[in-house]
C-alpha cells in the first residue's frame, strides 16, 4: 500500500514531508516521480490534472486535501466506484469566517473605495454603515457557512442563511429549498456564497439572482468560480444594482491578465486564499483514513457522490 500526492501548486514536497514526519514507515510518492503505480491505494489530491487518477489499477480511495471535491467530479476519467473523502478542518472554517468578516467590515467602512481615492489623491469622505444596520445572508450552511454565520451573529450582524435542506442555527434565521430563495434574497444586503459546487448550484450567482437582491447589495463569493456568471456580475455592477463584489475564486486560476475583473473599480479580488488547508491539522485525518483503508474499516468524511459533497 502507498499514497500518491497529485497537485499542481508546488506544494507536493511539503505534504510529503508532513506525512513522513508523522509516519516515517509510510510509502508516499509524488505523481511526478517514478513510482510503483500498482502499489498506490490512496491518492491525496488537489485540483489534479484530469486523467491522472486513471493510471492506478489498485486505487481504493481518492482523498481531497481540501473541503471541496467538485474538481474531482469534473474529471470524467476519474474512477467512479471508489470512495472520495474530503477534509473537515476547524482552521478552514475559522479562517473563512475571519476572511468574510474582514471583507464585510472593509465594505461597511468604505476601505476599498478609500484605497482607490488614495491612488487618485481624491479627498472625499463617504457615509459609512454600522454592523447593527446590516443583514448578511449566507448561502450554504455546511461547516464553513455555519461557523461564518454564527461568528457574524456574535459580532452583532443580523444573519440569515439559505441551504438546500433545512438547517437550524441558534439566533440565525434559516431558509431551505428553492421555494424560499426569493424571501431570503430580498432581505439580504450582503450576500456570501459558501455553497458546494454541484450541477444544481453552478451559475447560481447570475442575473436572475442579482435582480432579486435589494438595490445596492454587495456580493462575496468565497466558494467556487463556477457559481458565478462573470458577465452577469459585471452588468449588475455597471448598472449600479450591486454596489460591489469581493471575489476569492474564479473560473480560471490564476485569473487571465486580460480579464475585466482586474480593472473593475467595484470588484475587490483575493487570489483564492481565503481559507487554506493546514497540513498540521489535515495530515492526521489523512493518516487515520489510510489506516482505516488498510484495515478495511469505514472511512471518515466520505463524500456523498449523489449530492456531490
Amino acid at each position: 500500500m502507498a499514497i500518491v500526492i497529485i497537485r499542481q501548486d508546488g506544494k507536493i514536497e511539503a505534504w510529503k514531508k508532513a506525512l513522513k514526519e508523522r509516519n516515517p514507515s509510510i510509502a508516499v510518492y509524488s505523481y511526478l516521480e517514478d513510482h510503483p503505480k500498482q502499489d498506490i491505494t490512496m491518492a491525496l489530491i488537489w485540483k489534479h490534472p484530469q486523467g491522472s487518477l486513471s493510471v492506478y489499477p489498485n486505487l481504493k480511495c481518492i482523498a481531497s486535501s481540501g473541503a471541496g471535491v467538485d474538481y474531482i467530479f469534473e474529471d470524467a476519467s476519474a474512477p467512479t466506484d471508489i470512495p472520495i473523502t474530503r477534509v473537515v478542518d476547524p482552521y478552514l472554517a475559522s479562517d473563512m469566517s475571519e476572511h468574510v468578516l474582514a471583507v464585510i467590515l472593509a465594505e461597511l467602512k468604505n476601505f476599498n473605495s478609500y484605497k482607490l481615492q488614495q491612488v487618485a489623491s481624491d479627498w472625499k469622505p463617504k457615509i459609512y454603515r454600522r454592523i447593527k444596520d446590516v443583514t448578511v445572508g449566507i448561502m450554504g450552511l455546511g461547516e464553513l457557512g455555519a461557523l461564518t454565520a454564527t461568528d457574524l451573529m456574535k459580532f452583532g450582524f443580523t444573519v440569515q442563511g439559505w441551504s438546500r435542506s433545512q438547517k437550524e442555527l441558534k439566533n440565525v434565521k434559516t431558509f431551505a429549498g428553492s421555494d424560499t430563495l426569493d424571501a431570503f434574497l430580498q432581505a439580504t444586503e450582503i450576500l456570501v456564497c459558501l455553497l458546494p459546487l454541484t450541477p444544481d448550484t453552478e451559475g447560481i450567482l447570475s442575473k436572475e439572482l442579482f435582480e432579486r437582491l435589494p438595490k445596492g447589495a454587495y456580493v462575496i463569493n468565497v466558494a467556487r468560480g463556477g457559481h458565478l456568471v462573470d458577465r452577469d456580475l459585471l452588468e449588475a455592477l455597471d448598472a449600479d444594482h450591486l454596489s460591489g463584489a469581493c471575489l476569492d475564486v474564479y473560473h480560471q486560476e490564476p485569473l487571465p491578465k486580460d480579464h475585466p475583473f482586474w480593472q473593475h473599480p467595484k470588484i475587490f479580488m483575493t487570489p483564492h486564499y481565503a481559507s487554506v488547508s493546514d497540513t498540521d491539522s489535515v495530515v492526521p485525518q489523512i493518516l487515520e483514513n489510510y489506516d482505516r483503508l488498510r484495515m478495511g474499516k469505514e472511512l471518515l468524511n466520505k463524500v456523498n457522490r449523489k449530492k456531490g459533497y
Side-chain angles (χ1 to χ4, degrees):
M1 294 182 66
I3 297 175
V4 65
I5 302 174
I6 310 175
R7 52 195 304 143
Q8 304 178 86
D9 57 1
K11 297 182 179 179
I12 289 178
E13 290 305 315
W15 281 88
K16 190 174 178 180
K17 179 182 178 183
L19 288 165
K20 295 290 286 184
E21 284 179 347
R22 286 188 175 263
N23 186 348
S25 66
I26 200 168
V28 185
Y29 302 97
S30 163
Y31 82 108
L32 298 172
E33 65 182 320
D34 289 334
H35 59 284
K37 293 181 174 58
Q38 70 279 0
D39 292 350
I40 300 299
T41 52
M42 174 183 280
L44 177 59
I45 69 173
W46 183 250
K47 298 195 173 178
H48 63 294
Q50 293 198 5
S52 58
L53 291 169
S54 62
V55 300
Y56 300 104
N58 298 313
L59 191 63
K60 293 182 172 61
C61 174
I62 300 170
S64 174
S65 59
V69 295
D70 51 281
Y71 65 96
I72 300 173
F73 293 106
E74 292 170 0
D75 182 359
S77 68
T80 58
D81 57 348
I82 63 173
I84 298 171
T85 64
R86 64 186 184 89
V87 164
V88 177
D89 178 3
Y91 288 108
L92 278 177
S94 61
D95 288 352
M96 181 62 75
S97 176
E98 290 174 11
H99 178 92
V100 171
L101 175 63
V103 170
I104 292 175
L105 290 177
E107 170 60 16
L108 295 186
K109 303 307 178 185
N110 303 305
F111 283 8
N112 302 329
S113 297
Y114 286 147
K115 182 59 181 178
L116 293 174
Q117 291 177 197
Q118 178 185 341
V119 172
S121 302
D122 186 12
W123 183 281
K124 186 184 297 181
K126 299 171 70 70
I127 296 173
Y128 54 79
R129 290 181 287 171
R130 298 183 176 92
I131 287 175
K132 69 180 183 66
D133 298 327
V134 177
T135 298
V136 180
I138 310 288
M139 296 182 74
L141 294 175
E143 287 91 352
L144 275 63
L147 182 65
T148 300
T150 300
D151 286 351
L152 290 174
M153 180 272 301
K154 291 177 180 177
F155 269 91
F157 288 96
T158 299
V159 183
Q160 56 183 22
W162 180 86
S163 54
R164 190 174 74 168
S165 56
Q166 186 63 49
K167 303 288 178 65
E168 298 296 332
L169 291 175
K170 187 177 180 180
N171 297 322
V172 175
K173 186 177 182 180
T174 57
F175 299 78
S178 57
D179 292 344
T180 68
L181 185 57
D182 267 344
F184 166 79
L185 292 171
Q186 288 168 9
T188 293
E189 296 164 283
I190 297 179
L191 178 69
V192 182
C193 181
L194 275 167
L195 290 165
L197 183 61
T198 69
D200 290 336
T201 64
E202 185 173 4
I204 193 170
L205 299 178
S206 64
K207 178 180 180 180
E208 180 186 4
L209 182 143
F210 297 147
E211 289 176 344
R212 294 148 84 182
L213 289 168
K215 182 176 174 58
Y218 190 84
V219 172
I220 301 170
N221 186 19
V222 282
R224 287 290 182 265
H227 287 116
L228 178 65
V229 180
D230 292 4
R231 65 178 180 277
D232 289 359
L233 175 63
L234 292 167
E235 289 177 3
L237 292 170
D238 291 342
D240 290 329
H241 183 69
L242 297 179
S243 62
C246 179
L247 308 176
D248 185 59
V249 289
Y250 313 90
H251 286 275
Q252 183 180 340
E253 298 178 1
L255 190 67
K257 293 186 182 300
D258 61 350
H259 197 288
F261 285 172
W262 284 109
Q263 304 300 327
H264 201 287
K266 293 184 180 180
I267 295 178
F268 184 81
M269 293 168 49
T270 52
H272 200 158
Y273 220 71
S275 180
V276 180
S277 297
D278 180 81
T279 55
D280 289 338
S281 59
V282 170
V283 162
Q285 295 180 45
I286 302 301
L287 293 177
E288 170 70 13
N289 265 345
Y290 182 75
D291 287 339
R292 286 172 173 263
L293 191 67
R294 181 172 52 83
M295 294 183 289
K297 293 183 177 181
E298 185 72 13
L299 300 179
L300 303 176
N301 306 321
K302 284 178 63 175
V303 169
N304 184 319
R305 283 184 174 270
K306 289 184 179 179
K307 291 184 177 179
Y309 58 91

